[in-house]
Amino acid sequence: MNYRFISTEYLDSVGDGDNDVILEIIGMFREQVVEIHQDMERLLEQKNFHALGMLAHKAKSSVAIMGMKDLASLLKTFELQAKEGTGQDMYEHYVMRFKKDTDEAVKELDDLITNRLK
């Protein structure tokens, strides 16, 4: 499968051929993105923009590990804007994009597990 959202290069280099390590990294990513999205929604609702910016920074690291460069770049913008309290009209879009792209990444990771790692 040709993946649009993830890049397997990082997983391959870190896993060094050990599928158990790769599966562990995928499992952590899966858990993190659900938790991050829930926290983003909560902080957005509370209008706690500085904390939202800090969370965008954390999210950026998580998606970068999966090779999601476009989303990582968007999250960097989100991080800076939220910390400064600027561009508030875009925050909901950023949160929705995070959810959409990470959902797609999880589907691709499921395919990777099914077709390559087992």
Side-chain angles (χ1 to χ4, degrees):
M1 177 178 193
N2 196 4
Y3 299 118
R4 287 186 38 224
F5 291 87
I6 65 167
S7 170
T8 59
E9 293 170 1
Y10 175 80
L11 289 172
D12 290 338
S13 69
V14 171
D16 196 30
D18 187 341
N19 287 351
D20 289 337
V21 171
I22 294 172
L23 289 169
E24 186 175 334
I25 292 168
I26 291 171
M28 289 185 328
F29 175 79
R30 231 184 237 285
E31 291 173 16
Q32 283 180 340
V33 296
V34 169
E35 182 181 311
I36 288 170
H37 179 256
Q38 290 170 348
D39 290 345
M40 282 181 171
E41 290 282 350
R42 179 180 49 79
L43 292 170
L44 185 60
E45 186 177 313
Q46 295 171 350
K47 298 188 184 326
N48 188 343
F49 300 140
H50 184 76
L52 192 55
M54 299 298 287
L55 185 58
H57 176 77
K58 177 182 175 182
K60 179 183 66 181
S61 300
S62 294
V63 301
I65 287 170
M66 291 299 160
M68 301 176 73
K69 294 176 186 171
D70 290 343
L71 184 57
S73 177
L74 180 127
L75 288 167
K76 177 67 176 177
T77 300
F78 186 19
E79 172 191 356
L80 296 174
Q81 287 180 346
K83 285 179 178 177
E84 296 170 2
T86 60
Q88 294 176 17
D89 58 323
M90 291 298 295
Y91 296 176
E92 188 174 351
H93 165 76
Y94 295 147
V95 172
M96 289 185 337
R97 171 81 185 272
F98 175 81
K99 172 76 168 135
K100 177 187 151 309
D101 285 10
T102 57
D103 282 352
E104 291 299 320
V106 167
K107 289 177 188 173
E108 290 182 357
L109 291 166
D110 287 344
D111 179 80
L112 178 70
I113 291 167
T114 301
N115 294 311
R116 201 178 107 195
L117 299 179
K118 295 223 172 178

